[in-house]
Amino acid sequence: MQQYVIYKRVSTADQGRSGLGLEAQTRDITLYLDTFSPEPFEVIGEYLDVQSGKDDDRPELLKAIEHAKTAKATLLVAKLDRLSRKVSFISQLMEDKRLDFRVAAMPTATPFQLHIYAALAEQEREFISQRTKAALKEAKRRGVKLGGLRDSTMKRNDVLKAQAQQRAGKLENIVVPMRERGDSMRAIASALNSAGIATPRGGKWQAPQVKRLLDRVAK
């Protein structure tokens, strides 16, 4: 019988973001178990941390890992960044021969693919951080007063725009060839979802979102 140890992680900010809250993680894990898991299966443990993904010293994660290794069970998470936002930490887990883990949102991904995905996600976060700092520095140089409610909203919007544009650039080589060969928006959305690629807000792709993505690429 296939056995699983389930691990979930949320932070205060995650709770309000679609695709990252406990309900969404539970949904994705349940979908994996019902659709992709060998049968019969058994969940032998569940662990939860309320902590940032930047902190790898998470007590419940360490307990989940040890439980999975001791029981020779599979550690199951909803998304890769629930384990960690650091590619170095993900690599350490992959190198541990006693540990087997699966990502519900990427059910058929190989360890190599997971490593590449983690590296790209870390690179994207660093790029967005640097771009935001540069934008704020330029705004300050122009004499824009920072710190008010309006400026806070503008900074958040700048970050969201930067994330959307960066994501569009990363997906250009996937969506553009599909569109050029005549695939519909719905077909492209289905392909992105099947590949475990989430929208910028962490949700599932729909045809209108694919259209906006292609529009950004065109610009």
Side-chain angles (χ1 to χ4, degrees), residues 166-186:
Q166 178 69 1
R167 178 61 64 92
K170 287 173 57 180
L171 297 179
E172 179 177 359
N173 291 335
I174 298 176
V175 298
V176 171
M178 293 184 68
R179 188 58 176 165
E180 288 179 344
R181 76 185 184 194
D183 289 355
S184 67
M185 304 293 183
R186 181 178 296 179

Side-chain angles (χ1 to χ4, degrees), residues 2-74:
Q2 176 67 57
Q3 294 183 320
Y4 293 97
V5 173
I6 293 174
Y7 175 74
K8 302 172 187 175
R9 179 184 65 78
V10 293
S11 68
T12 302
D14 289 339
Q15 290 284 28
R17 290 160 57 190
S18 174
L20 295 177
L22 278 177
E23 183 178 347
Q25 291 180 59
T26 300
R27 176 203 62 209
D28 290 351
I29 287 171
T30 300
L31 179 61
Y32 175 91
L33 292 174
D34 292 343
T35 308
F36 297 97
S37 173
E39 294 184 349
F41 66 82
E42 178 185 15
V43 175
I44 62 173
E46 295 192 40
Y47 297 84
L48 169 67
D49 274 314
V50 182
Q51 211 165 338
S52 169
K54 296 179 181 179
D55 185 2
D56 293 329
D57 184 20
R58 285 172 273 148
E60 295 304 303
L61 174 59
L62 299 180
K63 291 178 186 178
I65 291 173
E66 187 58 33
H67 191 174
K69 291 197 292 187
T70 301
K72 296 183 179 179
T74 296

Side-chain angles (χ1 to χ4, degrees), residues 4 7 17 28 59 64 73 84 89 102 104-105 108 115 117 132 138 164 171 181 219:
Y4 293 97
Y7 175 74
R17 290 160 57 190
D28 290 351
S84 178
F89 186 81
R102 290 289 182 272
T108 61
H115 187 276
Y117 184 86
T132 301
E138 176 61 21
L171 297 179
R181 76 185 184 194
K219 293 178 181 179

